[in-house]
Amino acid sequence: MAEEDGCSSMTEPQFEAGETAADGLISTADSISCESGPNKADIVDLESNVELEEDVRDFNLRQEDVRQELFQNEEEEEEDDGDSGTAYFNPDMAGTRLQRAERIGDASLPDTFQTNELLYYERFKAYQDYMLGDCKTSEVKAFTADYLEKVLEPCDWQAQWCTDVFDVLVEVVDVNYKDLKAQVKLVVPLQCETRGCELTEEAMNTLLEATLHNVPLQELRVVFDESGDFDQTALALEHLRFFYKHIWRQWDDEDEDDDFDYFVRCVEPRLRLFYDILEDRVPAGLVAEYYSLLARCSQKFQEFSSLRNGISSDSESELDNVSMVEGLRMYEQMESLKRKLRIIENPLLRYVLGYKVNSGHQSCSAKGPRASGGRMVHVVSVSTTVSQLQSLMADKLGPKFSGEEFEVQFHSEPLLAVSACYEGDVVIILPGHYNVTSSISIPDSISVEGFGLPDEVVIEKKNKGDSFVASTGADVKISNVKFIQHDAIEGILCVRQGKLEMENCVLQCETTGVIVRTSAHLTMNMCDLYGSKGAGVEIYPGSVCSMVGNGIHHCKEGILIKDFADELDTMPKITMVNNVIHNNEGYGVILVKPSDAAAAQEDTPSDEQLDKEEGKEEMNCEGELQVDVPVIVVDDCSVKEPVSYSSCYVVPPEFTEGNDAIKRELVATSAKKQRLQKSRLKELGVTQADDNLLSQEMFVSIQDNQFRRNGMGSFGTFLY
């Protein structure tokens, strides 16, 4: 029994509180050695227990080593969390990791750190991980002050105090993190550089006394030091300066969405826009419009703030009531400007909506017809053979341009030929590969023809620019040419105004495809378009777009129809017949329109409200507003002689079902727009409407188009 009890005590040891399993095994072995007699079996057990004790002690030593390593890693992580967003700097390496910014001009001032050329991800990491984190708008200043307190040297460092009028060397003696200011003293002897004025040491001391020796941290630039001790201070001031110059807005403090992450909602999109503009990814017209909106919104905010501060909260005077009405009007204007700014700042909306802006486009003005009344045929060729000239004379020049009013002029580049054109001229491009370095603008009614197959007449643009080909002529024709796009921002071809007819062309896109602006007219037949990172074709409100027999494939979206639901927009006129839209990443055709929530914010009546109002109007007595919703023609026979490919083979119905879906959505959106206009007229008190006031028709001819292997389907809508 004793031996059985002993065996059970060894197999099931009982440990005291706080005792590890290893300690329990050791105590069990000790108890066995004390209680057992000195027989041979016990001696064998004791030897095995000694070996067990040594193994357990080795285990405990290894466990202690692991525990120390874990705690050491945690301490290192805690130390890393306290840096300034410059974790890529190795603190063990001596010396600075920043570049020196050498001064241009007065050499009396010392150099500073070069910090204004940081990359996007460096600023992104600093703001997200160290300076702002997940703070709300109301917490931005507190988080910023806490960040600066951790990384700024509190005193005894030199900096340049830089303003619009002067740069002067000062020494920082203290930092007020809450007010984002530093207490400084002038470095003697005076070292400064002025712009348009004269400054003495006495005048600078007087100025500092007037400011109580406090200057904004944003105006300080740390003097370069090779030791590396002030790297984080220089970077922290750069992050602060950049934030309040390019990210922060005066009205952010009053944002109603204070419960949301400020970095995600405001910092990230504004930072991305800044670098997109810096890297020429945004059209020049859109950049100009953005800064114009920003200036107008800032001015409006200042006017609104001044008016609001002048209104007494307990006053009921007529003057204050008028001021309150004016304040509401200014507030609505400011909210409208802020909404437009948010659209441009949002990367997705910036692309999808394309923001309706035409300012900043540097298009040439039309020359009109020649004073002599003659016309010119411009032949483009770097070099040519006799046989090519014979073919040109026999096939083109002789049959079509043999009249006395025609002259022939030779050019080596297509851009030179187009620039030399007057109204009615013709450009004939012989086979070859032509590289252009700037945009091709066509302001006059001319014809550009490739003499051969499109793959034989190639025009390629490699450098950056707003657009590749911009057409503003009243009647422009382009045929038998292949365009290859690189780094164009706005699109491979943009019809800004007038009419453009394209036939048998190849468009190899890289950024965006063909853009049909408001009031422009595009006829595109038998063309092949592919490779666009955006939409192959973008159709704006009020435009006319006819596409017959084209291939649109391997783009982000096939065809994008811009939002035309706004009451100021006119409906586009669209014809799509026998196009093959396939292998696009998103939809074959996508319609952009406002969501129900956006419509509610703009006080747009719902469909039910519009239907009720329409029913009431039908019962109204004679003399009140009696305007029917205009007829929206859906005509499948608009093309007199469409090029039909369906006669050769039967197309499966699943490839053509998108035609009906597109027509239904366009018709429904158009009908809602008409009812909305009708409702607006009633609100304005119009009791009788002109027959032509709402007589806009949306001429839709969509038939026999094929939609194959598009990633998200043949048709969809994008709600914003």
Side-chain angles (χ1 to χ4, degrees):
M1 292 292 293
E3 290 179 2
E4 294 177 357
D5 294 337
C7 291
S8 63
S9 64
M10 290 180 63
T11 56
E12 297 179 3
Q14 302 295 321
F15 305 136
E16 296 180 1
E19 191 177 37
T20 65
D23 296 334
L25 289 174
I26 295 174
S27 61
T28 302
D30 292 338
S31 63
I32 292 175
S33 64
C34 295
E35 294 175 1
S36 303
N39 53 49
K40 186 176 181 179
D42 292 337
I43 291 173
V44 174
D45 291 338
L46 285 172
E47 290 177 355
S48 62
N49 287 336
V50 170
E51 293 176 358
L52 176 64
E53 180 178 357
E54 292 176 355
D55 292 338
V56 169
R57 287 175 179 171
D58 290 339
F59 171 79
N60 285 339
L61 289 174
R62 289 195 299 271
Q63 189 179 35
E64 184 65 21
D65 290 340
V66 172
R67 184 183 297 111
Q68 291 178 357
E69 290 183 5
L70 290 175
F71 283 125
Q72 183 178 0
N73 290 337
E74 291 178 0
E75 292 174 358
E76 291 176 356
E77 291 177 359
E78 290 177 359
E79 292 176 359
D80 290 341
D81 288 340
D83 65 21
S84 64
T86 57
Y88 45 87
F89 289 148
N90 187 351
D92 296 332
M93 297 179 65
T96 179
R97 292 295 171 267
L98 297 177
Q99 299 294 322
R100 178 195 297 266
E102 297 182 358
R103 288 193 63 83
I104 300 175
D106 192 348
S108 63
L109 285 171
D111 296 334
T112 57
F113 285 99
Q114 178 69 272
T115 58
N116 59 355
E117 296 181 355
L118 297 180
L119 301 176
Y120 167 79
Y121 81 91
E122 293 175 309
R123 297 192 192 275
F124 183 95
K125 180 179 176 61
Y127 292 134
Q128 183 184 48
D129 295 346
Y130 304 102
M131 181 170 167
L132 299 175
D134 58 352
C135 72
K136 302 175 184 178
T137 306
S138 58
E139 301 171 335
V140 166
K141 292 184 178 179
F143 272 63
T144 302
D146 183 62
Y147 162 73
L148 294 175
E149 189 173 2
K150 290 179 180 178
V151 298
L152 281 189
E153 292 292 333
C155 60
D156 300 331
W157 48 277
Q158 290 188 348
Q160 289 184 21
W161 179 20
C162 301
T163 67
D164 295 335
V165 180
F166 60 81
D167 298 340
V168 64
L169 185 64
V170 296
E171 181 178 344
V172 175
V173 297
D174 194 13
V175 178
N176 186 336
Y177 303 102
K178 184 177 180 182
D179 295 335
L180 304 180
K181 291 186 176 182
Q183 187 175 357
V184 300
K185 66 179 181 180
L186 193 64
V187 174
V188 180
L190 177 67
Q191 300 179 47
C192 71
E193 179 180 330
T194 61
R195 287 174 284 276
C197 66
E198 293 291 336
L199 284 178
T200 62
E201 182 177 330
E202 182 180 358
M204 284 303 306
N205 281 322
T206 304
L207 178 61
L208 286 173
E209 289 176 2
T211 61
L212 301 179
H213 289 264
N214 291 324
V215 300
L217 285 172
Q218 304 171 44
E219 298 179 359
L220 295 180
R221 297 185 181 272
V222 183
V223 171
F224 183 79
D225 186 276
E226 294 182 350
S227 67
D229 296 338
F230 302 104
D231 283 8
Q232 291 191 5
T233 298
L235 282 170
L237 291 182
E238 171 61 26
H239 294 319
L240 177 70
R241 184 163 46 247
F242 183 90
F243 175 77
Y244 279 102
K245 183 177 181 180
H246 300 290
I247 306 297
W248 180 258
R249 307 285 183 252
Q250 304 175 62
W251 50 86
D252 283 351
D253 258 340
E254 302 184 1
D255 201 329
E256 297 177 355
D257 298 330
D258 193 45
D259 294 334
F260 295 94
D261 188 334
Y262 180 74
F263 177 85
V264 173
R265 189 167 48 85
C266 296
V267 178
E268 184 177 0
R270 292 172 185 172
L271 183 64
R272 180 71 271 174
L273 175 62
F274 175 84
Y275 276 90
D276 282 347
I277 294 174
L278 189 66
E279 296 166 7
D280 294 328
R281 293 183 184 147
V282 184
L286 185 57
V287 174
E289 179 71 7
Y290 177 73
Y291 287 122
S292 173
L293 287 170
L294 199 59
R296 287 162 55 194
C297 195
S298 298
Q299 181 181 359
K300 191 64 64 177
F301 177 78
Q302 293 175 0
E303 294 174 359
F304 174 76
S305 300
S306 300
L307 182 65
R308 180 179 55 185
N309 295 334
I311 298 177
S312 177
S313 58
D314 55 353
S315 175
E316 296 182 358
S317 66
E318 183 178 352
L319 182 60
D320 282 344
N321 291 336
V322 173
S323 299
M324 290 181 66
V325 173
E326 178 65 16
L328 289 174
R329 187 184 65 82
M330 294 172 60
Y331 178 80
E332 291 177 356
Q333 293 175 351
M334 190 172 62
E335 288 298 312
S336 176
L337 293 172
K338 288 163 62 176
R339 181 175 180 270
K340 292 179 180 179
L341 287 172
R342 285 194 296 269
I343 289 176
I344 301 178
E345 290 168 353
N346 186 298
L348 181 60
L349 294 179
R350 183 163 69 243
Y351 157 68
V352 174
L353 296 180
Y355 206 77
K356 308 164 189 176
V357 54
N358 291 304
S359 62
H361 295 305
Q362 298 180 2
S363 58
C364 301
S365 58
K367 300 177 183 177
R370 279 183 170 80
S372 61
R375 296 170 62 188
M376 188 74 69
V377 178
H378 303 267
V379 179
V380 181
S381 178
V382 177
S383 63
T384 184
T385 63
V386 175
S387 61
Q388 280 183 333
L389 284 177
Q390 290 175 342
S391 299
L392 179 64
M393 288 295 298
D395 299 338
K396 279 284 184 184
L397 298 182
K400 296 183 179 180
F401 308 107
S402 58
E404 294 183 357
E405 73 273 16
F406 289 101
E407 296 180 8
V408 178
Q409 192 174 41
F410 288 87
H411 303 270
S412 60
E413 296 181 4
L415 185 59
L416 296 176
V418 173
S419 300
C421 282
Y422 284 77
E423 183 178 321
D425 285 2
V426 177
V427 178
I428 300 177
I429 307 175
L430 297 185
H433 194 114
Y434 304 90
N435 293 317
V436 297
T437 57
S438 60
S439 300
I440 301 175
S441 181
I442 308 177
D444 286 285
S445 299
I446 65 172
S447 175
V448 180
E449 306 175 17
F451 186 64
L453 299 175
D455 287 335
E456 297 174 347
V457 183
V458 180
I459 303 177
E460 182 174 4
K461 181 174 183 290
K462 293 185 177 180
N463 59 328
K464 293 183 179 181
D466 281 2
S467 62
F468 188 173
V469 180
S471 176
T472 56
D475 189 6
V476 179
K477 297 180 176 64
I478 303 177
S479 60
N480 302 327
V481 181
K482 179 176 182 178
F483 297 96
I484 301 178
Q485 171 200 40
H486 296 284
D487 290 331
I489 299 172
E490 189 176 4
I492 191 169
L493 189 148
C494 182
V495 190
R496 304 196 195 283
Q497 62 187 38
K499 181 181 180 181
L500 172 65
E501 295 182 17
M502 293 190 68
E503 185 171 349
N504 197 31
C505 290
V506 176
L507 303 169
Q508 180 180 321
C509 311
E510 185 177 272
T511 311
T512 56
V514 177
I515 299 174
V516 191
R517 291 283 187 183
T518 301
S519 301
H521 188 156
L522 171 68
T523 299
M524 184 173 168
N525 298 333
M526 305 295 294
C527 295
D528 187 32
L529 188 154
Y530 58 91
S532 172
K533 294 180 181 178
V537 179
E538 296 182 7
I539 303 174
Y540 275 69
S543 62
V544 179
C545 187
S546 174
M547 293 178 288
V548 179
N550 302 287
I552 301 174
H553 55 98
H554 294 92
C555 301
K556 175 73 173 178
E557 312 284 353
I559 299 173
L560 186 145
I561 304 173
K562 300 285 187 177
D563 170 34
F564 58 88
D566 190 277
E567 59 182 329
L568 299 179
D569 292 329
T570 57
M571 293 173 286
K573 296 179 173 61
I574 303 171
T575 299
M576 289 174 54
V577 179
N578 285 329
N579 300 286
V580 181
I581 304 172
H582 64 96
N583 291 98
N584 295 291
E585 183 179 341
Y587 291 103
V589 177
I590 184 170
L591 172 66
V592 179
K593 63 179 186 178
S595 63
D596 294 337
Q601 289 180 358
E602 297 179 0
D603 298 328
T604 302
S606 64
D607 288 339
E608 295 181 359
Q609 292 173 334
L610 291 173
D611 291 339
K612 288 180 180 179
E613 292 179 3
E614 192 172 345
K616 290 179 181 178
E617 289 165 3
E618 290 176 356
M619 295 184 295
N620 280 342
C621 61
E622 189 174 2
E624 293 187 348
L625 182 64
Q626 297 287 338
V627 180
D628 295 330
V629 176
V631 177
I632 301 171
V633 179
V634 181
D635 185 2
D636 289 341
C637 303
S638 63
V639 182
K640 295 180 180 179
E641 295 181 358
V643 181
S644 178
Y645 303 95
S646 59
S647 58
C648 301
Y649 56 91
V650 177
V651 179
E654 60 269 20
F655 294 151
T656 60
E657 61 184 6
N659 292 281
D660 294 333
I662 297 170
K663 286 186 286 189
R664 283 195 301 269
E665 183 63 35
L666 292 177
V667 169
T669 305
S670 303
K672 181 178 179 180
K673 174 183 173 65
Q674 299 296 334
R675 295 198 302 269
L676 176 61
Q677 289 180 329
K678 183 178 174 182
S679 175
R680 297 295 192 200
L681 288 174
K682 183 181 178 182
E683 292 176 0
L684 294 173
V686 179
T687 58
Q688 290 185 350
D690 187 357
D691 292 338
N692 296 323
L693 190 59
L694 296 176
S695 62
Q696 300 169 355
E697 288 185 352
M698 180 176 184
F699 186 82
V700 182
S701 177
I702 300 176
Q703 69 167 1
D704 296 335
N705 299 288
Q706 297 182 38
F707 302 90
R708 299 169 180 259
R709 297 183 296 277
N710 294 296
M712 300 181 67
S714 59
F715 177 72
T717 57
F718 178 85
L719 304 178
Y720 69 94

